[in-house]
């Protein structure tokens, strides 16, 4: 049994497993970063739109 475990821990199978795990981790990290970026962009877009329309309304009321 130990011989089989050592065979899987070293060699091409182990290298492929490490590469796959690394690739999955990078993909998850990039997905999370993209999600944060999109949520941030949507949130900033809403707050900027509200702040831009407020001064225009107050300027038109004073005229």
């Amino acid at each position: 049994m130990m011989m089989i475990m050592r065979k899987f821990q070293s060699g091409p199978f182990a290298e492929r497993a490490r590469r796959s795990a690394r690739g999955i981790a990078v993909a998850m990290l990039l997905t999370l970063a993209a999600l944060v970026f999109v949520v941030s962009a949507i949130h900033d877009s809403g707050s900027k739109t509200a702040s831009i329309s407020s001064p225009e309304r107050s300027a038109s009321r004073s005229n």
Side-chain angles (χ1 to χ4, degrees):
M1 185 69 163
M2 289 299 288
M3 186 76 144
I4 293 172
M5 291 303 290
R6 286 185 184 171
K7 185 178 181 181
F8 285 130
Q9 289 176 350
S10 64
F13 177 77
E15 184 60 32
R16 272 188 307 219
R18 277 192 289 271
R19 251 185 279 140
S20 294
R22 214 176 299 139
I24 290 169
V26 168
M28 289 175 60
L29 183 65
L30 289 173
T31 302
L32 181 63
L35 182 65
V36 169
F37 178 77
V38 168
V39 169
S40 174
I42 290 172
H43 185 327
D44 286 347
S45 171
S47 64
K48 285 181 181 176
T49 303
S51 66
I52 289 171
S53 63
S54 296
E56 290 174 0
R57 288 181 186 164
S58 63
S60 64
R61 288 180 184 165
S62 64
N63 289 337

